[in-house]
Amino acid sequence: MADWKERLKVALGGVTSGGKFAVTGTVDGPLPEIAIRGVGKLALPIDAGQAEDLVFAGMPAPFGKGSKTVLNPAVRKAIQIEAARVRFSQDWDATLRRLTADVAAALLGVYGGAAAGVEARLYKLLVYERGGHFRPHRDTEKEPGMFGSLLIQLPVAGGHNGGRLSVHLQQEQVLWDTAAAATPPGAVVTSGGSGSDGASAAVKPPAAVLQYAAFYADCEHELSEVESGLRVVLAYNLVRTQAVRAWEAAGEDSQSLVALPLAHKYTEASLGFGALKGDDGAKVRALLDCPELEVHLLLVDKTVYGGCDHYYSDSDEYEEAAETAPMIKDDGCWDWEVNFIWHSPQSGRLGAHVGDFGLGMKLIQNSVLGGEQLFPEDRQPDQKKYEPYTGNEGPSLTYWYRRALVVVWPRSRSPIDD
């Protein structure tokens, strides 16, 4: 199997429906060493002097409004430093990869080798002073393949108050108390009064930790006002395009489209992007999150007509006959036809005039990821019907088979080979 196809198979094979729309947690690993051009090496927790340096070194952060990028402190008040000015120690790469894999599992339901197709790419370092905030908004797609955001909060001496992040999806909400995250847990205080040497009660400084939040880009989220102190965040784009990039890089020598059979059964009435079940929905959403791909749902209806040598006259016996009587499949009394029902994310169900989209059943079958046969000989029909002897014709059987698929191809090329 071609390398790009194996990557795509692994990426989709690891997607399950167990994901969430937003998650929070603690970074498991050592604190990174961070150097910023114009500021120097940061000490973590960040002290008051370097906090002032960060504010001075950055620029006011804009936000997207339609096709424009605007500055309005009533909507967003923050300082940003470009990613190109930020450098990390080498050990941070390994920590970030582990965190990204954890986020892929929790946020997307992506496990194992599939998580290798999810990357976290630094977008900005953000600084929120007193009064800093961001009104309810959704993240714009900042680069091809971006589907979510990862925010890693750096420890600052003294922490901050306020600045609660709320993430919404329909009627659900996830809250991140960033002020609590800024206060390292585990401070140990000696018991009251003086110690054995007469010294005052001592506090053992807790180890600084990194807290994070991750969420889908289409989720509305809001940062409430920072009431005091300073909040510093590494903002990453979560990007999933590795397999698709490999497919495009393979060029015209690679196949023009890929068809992935869905696990659940669907009918003409039940198939739709908003009605997919379980892992089917998770996999299709993963594909829709790739802007480089054209994604369609396809219901293939195969109808097989054949003869039957079992004669029944009582209509009460027809249902049993359909289940038990064998179909005669010889050249004189056997035929079949295939119908196609397509759905697009923008238009829903497409009209019957679309037909096979110009692809043909052979191309669709040859494009199935993993080579699975859509209608193998031993597949049981989804529906059967027995027609009795009519005087002019002998009894007959009709079998209906249905397979639902998601069919994808790169937007940069036609799905039909020239």
Side-chain angles (χ1 to χ4, degrees):
M1 182 181 292
D3 181 59
W4 68 266
K5 194 183 296 186
E6 182 61 32
R7 291 188 187 185
L8 187 60
K9 183 179 179 182
V10 170
L12 290 173
V15 176
T16 71
S17 59
K20 304 175 183 179
F21 68 91
V23 293
T24 63
T26 302
V27 178
D28 181 19
L31 295 178
E33 294 182 7
I34 305 175
I36 299 175
R37 190 168 70 246
V39 175
K41 184 177 178 181
L42 293 183
L44 298 181
I46 298 169
D47 60 29
Q50 286 197 318
E52 291 183 5
D53 292 342
L54 288 174
V55 173
F56 181 78
M59 297 288 290
F63 62 94
K65 186 176 182 180
S67 59
K68 299 179 180 179
T69 300
V70 297
L71 284 170
N72 185 347
V75 176
R76 185 186 193 189
K77 185 179 180 182
I79 300 296
Q80 68 178 27
I81 294 177
E82 298 293 331
R85 296 174 58 188
V86 184
R87 292 290 180 267
F88 299 92
S89 53
Q90 290 185 350
D91 58 351
W92 177 242
D93 290 340
T95 300
L96 184 62
R97 283 195 299 271
R98 288 195 301 271
L99 173 60
T100 304
D102 291 343
V103 167
L107 191 65
L108 303 172
V110 174
Y111 296 87
V118 178
E119 300 175 9
R121 300 176 185 169
L122 184 65
Y123 175 61
K124 294 285 195 305
L125 184 146
L126 301 174
V127 181
Y128 294 89
E129 301 177 274
R130 180 181 177 182
H133 66 275
F134 203 165
R135 298 301 182 209
H137 65 286
R138 292 178 174 85
D139 288 340
T140 56
E141 182 185 308
K142 302 178 182 72
E143 60 178 301
M146 177 187 169
F147 65 89
S149 297
L150 170 65
L151 306 177
I152 301 176
Q153 185 165 287
L154 299 179
V156 177
H160 67 271
N161 293 315
R164 185 176 71 169
L165 180 72
S166 57
V167 185
H168 300 265
L169 180 65
Q170 297 177 346
Q171 304 303 314
E172 297 185 72
Q173 177 179 247
V174 170
L175 297 175
W176 185 28
D177 186 353
T178 67
T183 304
V188 178
V189 182
T190 60
S191 54
S194 302
S196 58
D197 59 357
S200 299
V203 177
K204 181 180 179 181
V209 294
L210 301 177
Q211 303 279 341
Y212 74 87
F215 47 87
Y216 279 108
D218 63 349
C219 294
E220 184 179 80
H221 50 288
E222 176 182 13
L223 182 71
S224 66
E225 190 171 298
V226 174
E227 298 167 2
S228 63
L230 193 79
R231 178 173 181 255
V232 181
V233 176
L234 298 171
Y236 287 86
N237 297 333
L238 292 173
V239 181
R240 177 174 47 196
T241 58
Q242 186 181 53
V244 178
R245 287 202 306 268
W247 186 2
E248 288 193 310
E252 296 181 357
D253 292 335
S254 62
Q255 68 188 55
S256 57
L257 64 101
V258 163
L260 178 72
L262 301 180
H264 291 272
K265 291 187 177 182
Y266 299 91
T267 65
E268 183 175 341
S270 67
L271 184 65
F273 281 93
L276 298 175
K277 307 166 188 173
D279 293 351
D280 290 343
K283 287 178 168 61
V284 171
R285 179 170 181 172
L287 292 167
L288 289 170
D289 283 336
C290 294
E292 298 94 339
L293 289 180
E294 188 74 32
V295 182
H296 285 76
L297 297 179
L298 170 62
L299 184 67
V300 182
D301 250 327
K302 181 178 180 180
T303 306
V304 178
Y305 310 94
C308 177
D309 58 6
H310 284 52
Y311 290 77
Y312 295 90
S313 58
D314 188 342
S315 60
D316 292 338
E317 298 177 308
Y318 293 171
E319 184 174 345
E320 179 183 352
E323 293 296 327
T324 59
M327 176 182 286
I328 300 174
K329 295 184 178 181
D330 58 36
D331 292 339
C333 59
W334 181 75
D335 199 4
W336 61 276
E337 64 181 16
V338 176
N339 293 314
F340 302 88
I341 300 172
W342 291 87
H343 288 252
S344 77
Q346 297 81 18
S347 306
R349 178 173 172 173
L350 304 181
H353 66 280
V354 172
D356 63 6
F357 235 125
L359 302 177
M361 187 62 200
K362 182 177 180 181
L363 175 58
I364 294 173
Q365 173 62 74
N366 291 341
S367 301
V368 172
L369 195 62
E372 175 187 345
Q373 289 293 311
L374 294 179
F375 301 108
E377 287 294 327
D378 59 353
R379 181 179 177 84
Q380 290 299 308
D382 294 289
Q383 186 179 349
K384 300 178 181 180
K385 184 179 180 180
Y386 172 83
E387 293 286 354
Y389 171 75
T390 62
N392 296 322
E393 296 182 358
S396 64
L397 288 166
T398 304
Y399 293 165
W400 288 271
Y401 302 85
R402 298 185 187 91
R403 290 302 302 269
L405 313 136
V406 55
V407 181
V408 301
W409 59 85
R411 294 181 186 272
S412 59
R413 68 173 83 163
S414 169
I416 305 173
D417 292 325
D418 296 332

